[in-house]
Amino acid sequence: TNSRIRNIVKDSKFKVHVVSNPEFLKEGEAVADFMRPDRIVVGIVDGDQYAQDVMQRLYHPVSLNHEKIVLMNPESAELTKYVANTMLAMRISFMNEVSTLCEKVGADVHSVRHGVGSDARIGTRFLYAGPGYGGSCFPKDVSALVHTGRDNDVEIDLAVATDKVNQRQKGVLVRKLRKKLGGDLRGRKIAVWGIAFKPKTDDIRESPALTLIDAVLADGG
């Protein structure tokens, strides 16, 4: 993207500096994330000192306690966004597969999560099993990483598997519902309480609840 934009403005009357500055704001916590960022990824063409100085001045107010800007070239900055979200999505999909195994062997996925997350190398975040991830970022960025790889003749198998597992996991609730209700949902009145893809937001994009609703309606519920 950065390269394409630079190509568009290269003959501009005035010098245009193009910077890749991906956001890492969580829905429902965007203001707090902006004011107290973990890191600020800035992709600048090598030698563009003007752009670097501008970005450092821009983010100085949120970098007072320590330097948070991570400088890199634009290609690395763009890829960092995709890789970060895909890695988080991967953890979710993996734990969802583990939860299926736990049900088969009589294990408690929450105990497994606690035991695994206690390892400092792994940590506790994004290890919660559920009906799959949704929202605007994870599905889009996992797909973007896969397509970027394929555009460059690289198959990102783990990212492909992450999406495949997530699509399958979105049907887990309706499968459990069918089992609970004897396999027949016709004529059943079923309420879905909360359809946002996660707490603290009203965003229903790619929400697993939509898959559940569509499946219940298709079954006559």
PDB file of all heavy atoms in Angstrom, residues 27 92 96 130-143 163 166-171 173 194-198 201-214:
ATOM      1  N   GLU A  27     -11.282  -2.765  20.051  1.00  0.00           N
ATOM      2  CA  GLU A  27     -12.633  -2.219  20.136  1.00  0.00           C
ATOM      3  C   GLU A  27     -13.098  -2.244  21.593  1.00  0.00           C
ATOM      4  O   GLU A  27     -12.949  -3.229  22.296  1.00  0.00           O
ATOM      5  CB  GLU A  27     -13.597  -3.021  19.259  1.00  0.00           C
ATOM      6  CG  GLU A  27     -13.388  -2.769  17.773  1.00  0.00           C
ATOM      7  CD  GLU A  27     -14.592  -3.197  16.957  1.00  0.00           C
ATOM      8  OE1 GLU A  27     -15.722  -2.842  17.329  1.00  0.00           O
ATOM      9  OE2 GLU A  27     -14.399  -3.897  15.951  1.00  0.00           O
ATOM     10  N   ILE A  92      -6.451 -18.315  19.735  1.00  0.00           N
ATOM     11  CA  ILE A  92      -7.864 -18.587  19.984  1.00  0.00           C
ATOM     12  C   ILE A  92      -8.289 -19.876  19.287  1.00  0.00           C
ATOM     13  O   ILE A  92      -8.924 -20.750  19.887  1.00  0.00           O
ATOM     14  CB  ILE A  92      -8.728 -17.405  19.509  1.00  0.00           C
ATOM     15  CG1 ILE A  92      -8.444 -16.161  20.349  1.00  0.00           C
ATOM     16  CG2 ILE A  92     -10.211 -17.766  19.582  1.00  0.00           C
ATOM     17  CD1 ILE A  92      -9.089 -14.896  19.825  1.00  0.00           C
ATOM     18  N   ASN A  96      -9.564 -23.433  20.909  1.00  0.00           N
ATOM     19  CA  ASN A  96     -10.870 -23.983  20.556  1.00  0.00           C
ATOM     20  C   ASN A  96     -10.742 -25.437  20.110  1.00  0.00           C
ATOM     21  O   ASN A  96     -11.611 -26.268  20.414  1.00  0.00           O
ATOM     22  CB  ASN A  96     -11.521 -23.137  19.458  1.00  0.00           C
ATOM     23  CG  ASN A  96     -12.128 -21.864  20.016  1.00  0.00           C
ATOM     24  OD1 ASN A  96     -12.496 -21.802  21.189  1.00  0.00           O
ATOM     25  ND2 ASN A  96     -12.240 -20.843  19.184  1.00  0.00           N
ATOM     26  N   GLY A 130     -14.055 -20.649  23.043  1.00  0.00           N
ATOM     27  CA  GLY A 130     -15.368 -20.055  22.844  1.00  0.00           C
ATOM     28  C   GLY A 130     -15.931 -20.417  21.486  1.00  0.00           C
ATOM     29  O   GLY A 130     -15.474 -21.370  20.846  1.00  0.00           O
ATOM     30  N   PRO A 131     -16.901 -19.642  21.006  1.00  0.00           N
ATOM     31  CA  PRO A 131     -17.547 -19.965  19.730  1.00  0.00           C
ATOM     32  C   PRO A 131     -16.818 -19.432  18.509  1.00  0.00           C
ATOM     33  O   PRO A 131     -17.372 -19.414  17.408  1.00  0.00           O
ATOM     34  CB  PRO A 131     -18.921 -19.291  19.874  1.00  0.00           C
ATOM     35  CG  PRO A 131     -18.641 -18.094  20.716  1.00  0.00           C
ATOM     36  CD  PRO A 131     -17.581 -18.529  21.691  1.00  0.00           C
ATOM     37  N   GLY A 132     -15.585 -18.994  18.683  1.00  0.00           N
ATOM     38  CA  GLY A 132     -14.813 -18.465  17.562  1.00  0.00           C
ATOM     39  C   GLY A 132     -14.663 -16.960  17.647  1.00  0.00           C
ATOM     40  O   GLY A 132     -15.404 -16.290  18.352  1.00  0.00           O
ATOM     41  N   TYR A 133     -13.690 -16.426  16.933  1.00  0.00           N
ATOM     42  CA  TYR A 133     -13.475 -14.988  16.955  1.00  0.00           C
ATOM     43  C   TYR A 133     -14.262 -14.320  15.832  1.00  0.00           C
ATOM     44  O   TYR A 133     -14.646 -14.935  14.843  1.00  0.00           O
ATOM     45  CB  TYR A 133     -11.983 -14.645  16.846  1.00  0.00           C
ATOM     46  CG  TYR A 133     -11.285 -15.153  15.598  1.00  0.00           C
ATOM     47  CD1 TYR A 133     -11.424 -14.508  14.373  1.00  0.00           C
ATOM     48  CD2 TYR A 133     -10.478 -16.295  15.637  1.00  0.00           C
ATOM     49  CE1 TYR A 133     -10.790 -14.969  13.233  1.00  0.00           C
ATOM     50  CE2 TYR A 133      -9.829 -16.760  14.501  1.00  0.00           C
ATOM     51  CZ  TYR A 133      -9.982 -16.087  13.306  1.00  0.00           C
ATOM     52  OH  TYR A 133      -9.358 -16.548  12.169  1.00  0.00           O
ATOM     53  N   GLY A 134     -14.514 -13.033  16.006  1.00  0.00           N
ATOM     54  CA  GLY A 134     -15.221 -12.263  14.986  1.00  0.00           C
ATOM     55  C   GLY A 134     -14.680 -10.851  14.953  1.00  0.00           C
ATOM     56  O   GLY A 134     -13.507 -10.613  15.245  1.00  0.00           O
ATOM     57  N   GLY A 135     -15.530  -9.889  14.611  1.00  0.00           N
ATOM     58  CA  GLY A 135     -15.109  -8.498  14.568  1.00  0.00           C
ATOM     59  C   GLY A 135     -14.550  -8.109  13.214  1.00  0.00           C
ATOM     60  O   GLY A 135     -14.587  -8.872  12.249  1.00  0.00           O
ATOM     61  N   SER A 136     -14.008  -6.907  13.169  1.00  0.00           N
ATOM     62  CA  SER A 136     -13.525  -6.366  11.897  1.00  0.00           C
ATOM     63  C   SER A 136     -12.050  -6.639  11.652  1.00  0.00           C
ATOM     64  O   SER A 136     -11.590  -6.551  10.509  1.00  0.00           O
ATOM     65  CB  SER A 136     -13.757  -4.850  11.862  1.00  0.00           C
ATOM     66  OG  SER A 136     -12.999  -4.204  12.871  1.00  0.00           O
ATOM     67  N   CYS A 137     -11.295  -6.960  12.697  1.00  0.00           N
ATOM     68  CA  CYS A 137      -9.835  -7.035  12.547  1.00  0.00           C
ATOM     69  C   CYS A 137      -9.307  -8.446  12.304  1.00  0.00           C
ATOM     70  O   CYS A 137      -8.618  -8.687  11.314  1.00  0.00           O
ATOM     71  CB  CYS A 137      -9.148  -6.438  13.778  1.00  0.00           C
ATOM     72  SG  CYS A 137      -9.344  -4.641  13.903  1.00  0.00           S
ATOM     73  N   PHE A 138      -9.584  -9.364  13.221  1.00  0.00           N
ATOM     74  CA  PHE A 138      -8.987 -10.698  13.105  1.00  0.00           C
ATOM     75  C   PHE A 138      -9.338 -11.385  11.786  1.00  0.00           C
ATOM     76  O   PHE A 138      -8.432 -11.848  11.078  1.00  0.00           O
ATOM     77  CB  PHE A 138      -9.394 -11.573  14.286  1.00  0.00           C
ATOM     78  CG  PHE A 138      -8.656 -11.263  15.568  1.00  0.00           C
ATOM     79  CD1 PHE A 138      -7.858 -10.127  15.688  1.00  0.00           C
ATOM     80  CD2 PHE A 138      -8.748 -12.102  16.662  1.00  0.00           C
ATOM     81  CE1 PHE A 138      -7.176  -9.834  16.857  1.00  0.00           C
ATOM     82  CE2 PHE A 138      -8.075 -11.825  17.845  1.00  0.00           C
ATOM     83  CZ  PHE A 138      -7.291 -10.691  17.938  1.00  0.00           C
ATOM     84  N   PRO A 139     -10.618 -11.491  11.412  1.00  0.00           N
ATOM     85  CA  PRO A 139     -10.928 -12.164  10.141  1.00  0.00           C
ATOM     86  C   PRO A 139     -10.266 -11.483   8.948  1.00  0.00           C
ATOM     87  O   PRO A 139      -9.722 -12.152   8.068  1.00  0.00           O
ATOM     88  CB  PRO A 139     -12.458 -12.070  10.060  1.00  0.00           C
ATOM     89  CG  PRO A 139     -12.910 -11.926  11.479  1.00  0.00           C
ATOM     90  CD  PRO A 139     -11.847 -11.095  12.140  1.00  0.00           C
ATOM     91  N   LYS A 140     -10.300 -10.154   8.940  1.00  0.00           N
ATOM     92  CA  LYS A 140      -9.731  -9.399   7.810  1.00  0.00           C
ATOM     93  C   LYS A 140      -8.223  -9.561   7.732  1.00  0.00           C
ATOM     94  O   LYS A 140      -7.668  -9.770   6.641  1.00  0.00           O
ATOM     95  CB  LYS A 140     -10.095  -7.921   7.965  1.00  0.00           C
ATOM     96  CG  LYS A 140      -9.373  -6.972   7.023  1.00  0.00           C
ATOM     97  CD  LYS A 140      -9.800  -5.536   7.244  1.00  0.00           C
ATOM     98  CE  LYS A 140      -9.479  -5.039   8.634  1.00  0.00           C
ATOM     99  NZ  LYS A 140      -8.020  -4.927   8.889  1.00  0.00           N
ATOM    100  N   ASP A 141      -7.555  -9.472   8.872  1.00  0.00           N
ATOM    101  CA  ASP A 141      -6.090  -9.510   8.852  1.00  0.00           C
ATOM    102  C   ASP A 141      -5.546 -10.912   8.631  1.00  0.00           C
ATOM    103  O   ASP A 141      -4.495 -11.075   8.004  1.00  0.00           O
ATOM    104  CB  ASP A 141      -5.538  -8.910  10.148  1.00  0.00           C
ATOM    105  CG  ASP A 141      -5.725  -7.403  10.204  1.00  0.00           C
ATOM    106  OD1 ASP A 141      -6.008  -6.811   9.141  1.00  0.00           O
ATOM    107  OD2 ASP A 141      -5.606  -6.818  11.292  1.00  0.00           O
ATOM    108  N   VAL A 142      -6.238 -11.929   9.127  1.00  0.00           N
ATOM    109  CA  VAL A 142      -5.834 -13.302   8.822  1.00  0.00           C
ATOM    110  C   VAL A 142      -5.938 -13.542   7.319  1.00  0.00           C
ATOM    111  O   VAL A 142      -5.024 -14.088   6.693  1.00  0.00           O
ATOM    112  CB  VAL A 142      -6.705 -14.325   9.591  1.00  0.00           C
ATOM    113  CG1 VAL A 142      -6.422 -15.745   9.101  1.00  0.00           C
ATOM    114  CG2 VAL A 142      -6.439 -14.235  11.097  1.00  0.00           C
ATOM    115  N   SER A 143      -7.049 -13.099   6.751  1.00  0.00           N
ATOM    116  CA  SER A 143      -7.241 -13.246   5.303  1.00  0.00           C
ATOM    117  C   SER A 143      -6.199 -12.449   4.526  1.00  0.00           C
ATOM    118  O   SER A 143      -5.665 -12.927   3.514  1.00  0.00           O
ATOM    119  CB  SER A 143      -8.655 -12.784   4.925  1.00  0.00           C
ATOM    120  OG  SER A 143      -8.862 -12.863   3.535  1.00  0.00           O
ATOM    121  N   ASP A 163      -8.059 -19.795  10.152  1.00  0.00           N
ATOM    122  CA  ASP A 163      -9.365 -19.396   9.619  1.00  0.00           C
ATOM    123  C   ASP A 163     -10.287 -20.601   9.474  1.00  0.00           C
ATOM    124  O   ASP A 163     -11.481 -20.537   9.805  1.00  0.00           O
ATOM    125  CB  ASP A 163      -9.188 -18.707   8.268  1.00  0.00           C
ATOM    126  CG  ASP A 163     -10.516 -18.327   7.642  1.00  0.00           C
ATOM    127  OD1 ASP A 163     -11.233 -17.497   8.242  1.00  0.00           O
ATOM    128  OD2 ASP A 163     -10.847 -18.853   6.563  1.00  0.00           O
ATOM    129  N   ASN A 166     -11.628 -21.568  12.777  1.00  0.00           N
ATOM    130  CA  ASN A 166     -12.583 -20.571  13.272  1.00  0.00           C
ATOM    131  C   ASN A 166     -13.942 -20.707  12.595  1.00  0.00           C
ATOM    132  O   ASN A 166     -14.987 -20.580  13.256  1.00  0.00           O
ATOM    133  CB  ASN A 166     -12.035 -19.163  13.037  1.00  0.00           C
ATOM    134  CG  ASN A 166     -12.844 -18.118  13.767  1.00  0.00           C
ATOM    135  OD1 ASN A 166     -12.962 -18.146  14.989  1.00  0.00           O
ATOM    136  ND2 ASN A 166     -13.412 -17.178  13.034  1.00  0.00           N
ATOM    137  N   GLN A 167     -13.941 -20.956  11.299  1.00  0.00           N
ATOM    138  CA  GLN A 167     -15.213 -21.143  10.601  1.00  0.00           C
ATOM    139  C   GLN A 167     -15.952 -22.361  11.141  1.00  0.00           C
ATOM    140  O   GLN A 167     -17.174 -22.330  11.324  1.00  0.00           O
ATOM    141  CB  GLN A 167     -14.965 -21.287   9.093  1.00  0.00           C
ATOM    142  CG  GLN A 167     -14.382 -20.054   8.432  1.00  0.00           C
ATOM    143  CD  GLN A 167     -15.180 -18.791   8.685  1.00  0.00           C
ATOM    144  OE1 GLN A 167     -16.416 -18.799   8.668  1.00  0.00           O
ATOM    145  NE2 GLN A 167     -14.485 -17.690   8.943  1.00  0.00           N
ATOM    146  N   ARG A 168     -15.221 -23.428  11.418  1.00  0.00           N
ATOM    147  CA  ARG A 168     -15.835 -24.623  11.991  1.00  0.00           C
ATOM    148  C   ARG A 168     -16.350 -24.363  13.404  1.00  0.00           C
ATOM    149  O   ARG A 168     -17.443 -24.799  13.772  1.00  0.00           O
ATOM    150  CB  ARG A 168     -14.820 -25.768  11.996  1.00  0.00           C
ATOM    151  CG  ARG A 168     -15.406 -27.099  12.488  1.00  0.00           C
ATOM    152  CD  ARG A 168     -14.398 -28.215  12.350  1.00  0.00           C
ATOM    153  NE  ARG A 168     -13.263 -28.040  13.257  1.00  0.00           N
ATOM    154  CZ  ARG A 168     -11.997 -28.100  12.877  1.00  0.00           C
ATOM    155  NH1 ARG A 168     -11.685 -28.309  11.609  1.00  0.00           N
ATOM    156  NH2 ARG A 168     -11.025 -27.949  13.761  1.00  0.00           N
ATOM    157  N   GLN A 169     -15.568 -23.614  14.175  1.00  0.00           N
ATOM    158  CA  GLN A 169     -15.932 -23.354  15.564  1.00  0.00           C
ATOM    159  C   GLN A 169     -17.187 -22.497  15.681  1.00  0.00           C
ATOM    160  O   GLN A 169     -17.934 -22.611  16.661  1.00  0.00           O
ATOM    161  CB  GLN A 169     -14.768 -22.662  16.287  1.00  0.00           C
ATOM    162  CG  GLN A 169     -14.939 -22.550  17.794  1.00  0.00           C
ATOM    163  CD  GLN A 169     -14.839 -23.902  18.500  1.00  0.00           C
ATOM    164  OE1 GLN A 169     -14.430 -24.897  17.891  1.00  0.00           O
ATOM    165  NE2 GLN A 169     -15.222 -23.937  19.764  1.00  0.00           N
ATOM    166  N   LYS A 170     -17.443 -21.662  14.700  1.00  0.00           N
ATOM    167  CA  LYS A 170     -18.635 -20.813  14.747  1.00  0.00           C
ATOM    168  C   LYS A 170     -19.928 -21.635  14.752  1.00  0.00           C
ATOM    169  O   LYS A 170     -20.982 -21.139  15.135  1.00  0.00           O
ATOM    170  CB  LYS A 170     -18.642 -19.839  13.561  1.00  0.00           C
ATOM    171  CG  LYS A 170     -17.679 -18.671  13.727  1.00  0.00           C
ATOM    172  CD  LYS A 170     -17.813 -17.679  12.588  1.00  0.00           C
ATOM    173  CE  LYS A 170     -16.945 -16.456  12.811  1.00  0.00           C
ATOM    174  NZ  LYS A 170     -17.112 -15.435  11.745  1.00  0.00           N
ATOM    175  N   GLY A 171     -19.821 -22.883  14.339  1.00  0.00           N
ATOM    176  CA  GLY A 171     -21.000 -23.745  14.359  1.00  0.00           C
ATOM    177  C   GLY A 171     -21.126 -24.582  15.614  1.00  0.00           C
ATOM    178  O   GLY A 171     -22.053 -25.393  15.741  1.00  0.00           O
ATOM    179  N   LEU A 173     -21.955 -23.853  18.713  1.00  0.00           N
ATOM    180  CA  LEU A 173     -23.114 -23.611  19.574  1.00  0.00           C
ATOM    181  C   LEU A 173     -24.378 -24.255  19.014  1.00  0.00           C
ATOM    182  O   LEU A 173     -25.169 -24.841  19.764  1.00  0.00           O
ATOM    183  CB  LEU A 173     -23.327 -22.114  19.776  1.00  0.00           C
ATOM    184  CG  LEU A 173     -22.282 -21.403  20.628  1.00  0.00           C
ATOM    185  CD1 LEU A 173     -22.602 -19.916  20.750  1.00  0.00           C
ATOM    186  CD2 LEU A 173     -22.194 -22.028  22.014  1.00  0.00           C
ATOM    187  N   GLY A 194     -27.187 -11.226  23.490  1.00  0.00           N
ATOM    188  CA  GLY A 194     -25.887 -10.642  23.198  1.00  0.00           C
ATOM    189  C   GLY A 194     -25.326 -11.172  21.895  1.00  0.00           C
ATOM    190  O   GLY A 194     -24.947 -12.341  21.815  1.00  0.00           O
ATOM    191  N   ILE A 195     -25.282 -10.333  20.876  1.00  0.00           N
ATOM    192  CA  ILE A 195     -24.789 -10.821  19.584  1.00  0.00           C
ATOM    193  C   ILE A 195     -23.526 -10.101  19.120  1.00  0.00           C
ATOM    194  O   ILE A 195     -23.006 -10.408  18.053  1.00  0.00           O
ATOM    195  CB  ILE A 195     -25.871 -10.722  18.491  1.00  0.00           C
ATOM    196  CG1 ILE A 195     -26.307  -9.270  18.276  1.00  0.00           C
ATOM    197  CG2 ILE A 195     -27.052 -11.612  18.829  1.00  0.00           C
ATOM    198  CD1 ILE A 195     -27.257  -9.107  17.104  1.00  0.00           C
ATOM    199  N   ALA A 196     -23.017  -9.147  19.909  1.00  0.00           N
ATOM    200  CA  ALA A 196     -21.745  -8.508  19.551  1.00  0.00           C
ATOM    201  C   ALA A 196     -20.637  -9.553  19.597  1.00  0.00           C
ATOM    202  O   ALA A 196     -20.731 -10.547  20.318  1.00  0.00           O
ATOM    203  CB  ALA A 196     -21.426  -7.362  20.507  1.00  0.00           C
ATOM    204  N   PHE A 197     -19.568  -9.311  18.841  1.00  0.00           N
ATOM    205  CA  PHE A 197     -18.524 -10.331  18.764  1.00  0.00           C
ATOM    206  C   PHE A 197     -17.685 -10.412  20.029  1.00  0.00           C
ATOM    207  O   PHE A 197     -16.977 -11.398  20.252  1.00  0.00           O
ATOM    208  CB  PHE A 197     -17.625 -10.089  17.541  1.00  0.00           C
ATOM    209  CG  PHE A 197     -16.545  -9.055  17.729  1.00  0.00           C
ATOM    210  CD1 PHE A 197     -15.263  -9.428  18.096  1.00  0.00           C
ATOM    211  CD2 PHE A 197     -16.813  -7.713  17.524  1.00  0.00           C
ATOM    212  CE1 PHE A 197     -14.265  -8.483  18.269  1.00  0.00           C
ATOM    213  CE2 PHE A 197     -15.825  -6.760  17.681  1.00  0.00           C
ATOM    214  CZ  PHE A 197     -14.541  -7.150  18.065  1.00  0.00           C
ATOM    215  N   LYS A 198     -17.767  -9.370  20.894  1.00  0.00           N
ATOM    216  CA  LYS A 198     -17.068  -9.418  22.176  1.00  0.00           C
ATOM    217  C   LYS A 198     -17.673  -8.376  23.100  1.00  0.00           C
ATOM    218  O   LYS A 198     -18.433  -7.502  22.656  1.00  0.00           O
ATOM    219  CB  LYS A 198     -15.571  -9.173  21.985  1.00  0.00           C
ATOM    220  CG  LYS A 198     -15.187  -7.738  21.686  1.00  0.00           C
ATOM    221  CD  LYS A 198     -13.675  -7.576  21.720  1.00  0.00           C
ATOM    222  CE  LYS A 198     -13.271  -6.126  21.821  1.00  0.00           C
ATOM    223  NZ  LYS A 198     -11.805  -5.976  21.995  1.00  0.00           N
ATOM    224  N   THR A 201     -18.610  -3.650  23.257  1.00  0.00           N
ATOM    225  CA  THR A 201     -18.772  -3.098  21.918  1.00  0.00           C
ATOM    226  C   THR A 201     -20.132  -3.533  21.381  1.00  0.00           C
ATOM    227  O   THR A 201     -20.714  -4.512  21.861  1.00  0.00           O
ATOM    228  CB  THR A 201     -17.666  -3.580  20.966  1.00  0.00           C
ATOM    229  OG1 THR A 201     -17.877  -3.016  19.671  1.00  0.00           O
ATOM    230  CG2 THR A 201     -17.671  -5.093  20.826  1.00  0.00           C
ATOM    231  N   ASP A 202     -20.637  -2.771  20.415  1.00  0.00           N
ATOM    232  CA  ASP A 202     -21.897  -3.155  19.767  1.00  0.00           C
ATOM    233  C   ASP A 202     -21.645  -3.678  18.353  1.00  0.00           C
ATOM    234  O   ASP A 202     -22.557  -3.795  17.549  1.00  0.00           O
ATOM    235  CB  ASP A 202     -22.872  -1.969  19.729  1.00  0.00           C
ATOM    236  CG  ASP A 202     -22.324  -0.778  18.955  1.00  0.00           C
ATOM    237  OD1 ASP A 202     -21.180  -0.855  18.453  1.00  0.00           O
ATOM    238  OD2 ASP A 202     -23.040   0.241  18.845  1.00  0.00           O
ATOM    239  N   ASP A 203     -20.417  -4.001  18.059  1.00  0.00           N
ATOM    240  CA  ASP A 203     -20.023  -4.449  16.723  1.00  0.00           C
ATOM    241  C   ASP A 203     -20.417  -5.913  16.522  1.00  0.00           C
ATOM    242  O   ASP A 203     -19.983  -6.792  17.282  1.00  0.00           O
ATOM    243  CB  ASP A 203     -18.513  -4.284  16.564  1.00  0.00           C
ATOM    244  CG  ASP A 203     -18.053  -4.450  15.118  1.00  0.00           C
ATOM    245  OD1 ASP A 203     -18.836  -4.963  14.298  1.00  0.00           O
ATOM    246  OD2 ASP A 203     -16.908  -4.069  14.827  1.00  0.00           O
ATOM    247  N   ILE A 204     -21.240  -6.180  15.521  1.00  0.00           N
ATOM    248  CA  ILE A 204     -21.665  -7.559  15.265  1.00  0.00           C
ATOM    249  C   ILE A 204     -21.023  -8.131  13.999  1.00  0.00           C
ATOM    250  O   ILE A 204     -21.372  -9.237  13.574  1.00  0.00           O
ATOM    251  CB  ILE A 204     -23.202  -7.667  15.156  1.00  0.00           C
ATOM    252  CG1 ILE A 204     -23.718  -6.887  13.931  1.00  0.00           C
ATOM    253  CG2 ILE A 204     -23.867  -7.184  16.429  1.00  0.00           C
ATOM    254  CD1 ILE A 204     -25.192  -7.119  13.649  1.00  0.00           C
ATOM    255  N   ARG A 205     -20.074  -7.414  13.423  1.00  0.00           N
ATOM    256  CA  ARG A 205     -19.431  -7.910  12.204  1.00  0.00           C
ATOM    257  C   ARG A 205     -18.719  -9.232  12.474  1.00  0.00           C
ATOM    258  O   ARG A 205     -17.950  -9.353  13.419  1.00  0.00           O
ATOM    259  CB  ARG A 205     -18.432  -6.872  11.672  1.00  0.00           C
ATOM    260  CG  ARG A 205     -19.082  -5.674  11.020  1.00  0.00           C
ATOM    261  CD  ARG A 205     -18.061  -4.623  10.615  1.00  0.00           C
ATOM    262  NE  ARG A 205     -17.460  -3.972  11.782  1.00  0.00           N
ATOM    263  CZ  ARG A 205     -16.541  -3.014  11.701  1.00  0.00           C
ATOM    264  NH1 ARG A 205     -16.106  -2.616  10.522  1.00  0.00           N
ATOM    265  NH2 ARG A 205     -16.062  -2.455  12.802  1.00  0.00           N
ATOM    266  N   GLU A 206     -19.000 -10.218  11.638  1.00  0.00           N
ATOM    267  CA  GLU A 206     -18.381 -11.550  11.733  1.00  0.00           C
ATOM    268  C   GLU A 206     -18.636 -12.225  13.075  1.00  0.00           C
ATOM    269  O   GLU A 206     -17.908 -13.129  13.476  1.00  0.00           O
ATOM    270  CB  GLU A 206     -16.868 -11.458  11.486  1.00  0.00           C
ATOM    271  CG  GLU A 206     -16.470 -10.874  10.150  1.00  0.00           C
ATOM    272  CD  GLU A 206     -16.700 -11.820   8.991  1.00  0.00           C
ATOM    273  OE1 GLU A 206     -16.842 -13.039   9.224  1.00  0.00           O
ATOM    274  OE2 GLU A 206     -16.728 -11.345   7.852  1.00  0.00           O
ATOM    275  N   SER A 207     -19.656 -11.778  13.795  1.00  0.00           N
ATOM    276  CA  SER A 207     -19.936 -12.357  15.112  1.00  0.00           C
ATOM    277  C   SER A 207     -20.394 -13.808  14.984  1.00  0.00           C
ATOM    278  O   SER A 207     -21.245 -14.126  14.145  1.00  0.00           O
ATOM    279  CB  SER A 207     -21.026 -11.554  15.819  1.00  0.00           C
ATOM    280  OG  SER A 207     -21.434 -12.203  17.018  1.00  0.00           O
ATOM    281  N   PRO A 208     -19.865 -14.699  15.823  1.00  0.00           N
ATOM    282  CA  PRO A 208     -20.322 -16.093  15.809  1.00  0.00           C
ATOM    283  C   PRO A 208     -21.815 -16.215  16.083  1.00  0.00           C
ATOM    284  O   PRO A 208     -22.450 -17.182  15.649  1.00  0.00           O
ATOM    285  CB  PRO A 208     -19.499 -16.746  16.931  1.00  0.00           C
ATOM    286  CG  PRO A 208     -18.261 -15.911  17.021  1.00  0.00           C
ATOM    287  CD  PRO A 208     -18.714 -14.506  16.747  1.00  0.00           C
ATOM    288  N   ALA A 209     -22.383 -15.228  16.793  1.00  0.00           N
ATOM    289  CA  ALA A 209     -23.815 -15.270  17.084  1.00  0.00           C
ATOM    290  C   ALA A 209     -24.647 -15.226  15.809  1.00  0.00           C
ATOM    291  O   ALA A 209     -25.732 -15.814  15.742  1.00  0.00           O
ATOM    292  CB  ALA A 209     -24.201 -14.105  17.998  1.00  0.00           C
ATOM    293  N   LEU A 210     -24.155 -14.551  14.776  1.00  0.00           N
ATOM    294  CA  LEU A 210     -24.893 -14.484  13.517  1.00  0.00           C
ATOM    295  C   LEU A 210     -24.953 -15.849  12.848  1.00  0.00           C
ATOM    296  O   LEU A 210     -25.968 -16.211  12.239  1.00  0.00           O
ATOM    297  CB  LEU A 210     -24.231 -13.464  12.580  1.00  0.00           C
ATOM    298  CG  LEU A 210     -24.165 -12.020  13.113  1.00  0.00           C
ATOM    299  CD1 LEU A 210     -23.495 -11.119  12.073  1.00  0.00           C
ATOM    300  CD2 LEU A 210     -25.535 -11.502  13.486  1.00  0.00           C
ATOM    301  N   THR A 211     -23.864 -16.598  12.953  1.00  0.00           N
ATOM    302  CA  THR A 211     -23.863 -17.961  12.421  1.00  0.00           C
ATOM    303  C   THR A 211     -24.874 -18.826  13.156  1.00  0.00           C
ATOM    304  O   THR A 211     -25.595 -19.622  12.543  1.00  0.00           O
ATOM    305  CB  THR A 211     -22.450 -18.580  12.558  1.00  0.00           C
ATOM    306  OG1 THR A 211     -21.504 -17.772  11.848  1.00  0.00           O
ATOM    307  CG2 THR A 211     -22.418 -19.999  12.008  1.00  0.00           C
ATOM    308  N   LEU A 212     -24.924 -18.658  14.464  1.00  0.00           N
ATOM    309  CA  LEU A 212     -25.891 -19.404  15.285  1.00  0.00           C
ATOM    310  C   LEU A 212     -27.323 -19.056  14.872  1.00  0.00           C
ATOM    311  O   LEU A 212     -28.155 -19.969  14.662  1.00  0.00           O
ATOM    312  CB  LEU A 212     -25.676 -19.087  16.754  1.00  0.00           C
ATOM    313  CG  LEU A 212     -26.758 -19.588  17.726  1.00  0.00           C
ATOM    314  CD1 LEU A 212     -26.816 -21.108  17.717  1.00  0.00           C
ATOM    315  CD2 LEU A 212     -26.503 -19.062  19.134  1.00  0.00           C
ATOM    316  N   ILE A 213     -27.612 -17.775  14.735  1.00  0.00           N
ATOM    317  CA  ILE A 213     -28.971 -17.335  14.378  1.00  0.00           C
ATOM    318  C   ILE A 213     -29.373 -17.875  13.011  1.00  0.00           C
ATOM    319  O   ILE A 213     -30.481 -18.403  12.832  1.00  0.00           O
ATOM    320  CB  ILE A 213     -29.053 -15.800  14.402  1.00  0.00           C
ATOM    321  CG1 ILE A 213     -28.911 -15.277  15.834  1.00  0.00           C
ATOM    322  CG2 ILE A 213     -30.368 -15.314  13.789  1.00  0.00           C
ATOM    323  CD1 ILE A 213     -28.729 -13.779  15.937  1.00  0.00           C
ATOM    324  N   ASP A 214     -28.462 -17.769  12.042  1.00  0.00           N
ATOM    325  CA  ASP A 214     -28.771 -18.272  10.700  1.00  0.00           C
ATOM    326  C   ASP A 214     -29.043 -19.772  10.712  1.00  0.00           C
ATOM    327  O   ASP A 214     -29.954 -20.264  10.039  1.00  0.00           O
ATOM    328  CB  ASP A 214     -27.605 -17.984   9.754  1.00  0.00           C
ATOM    329  CG  ASP A 214     -27.502 -16.509   9.379  1.00  0.00           C
ATOM    330  OD1 ASP A 214     -28.503 -15.782   9.565  1.00  0.00           O
ATOM    331  OD2 ASP A 214     -26.430 -16.092   8.900  1.00  0.00           O
TER     332      ASP A 214
END
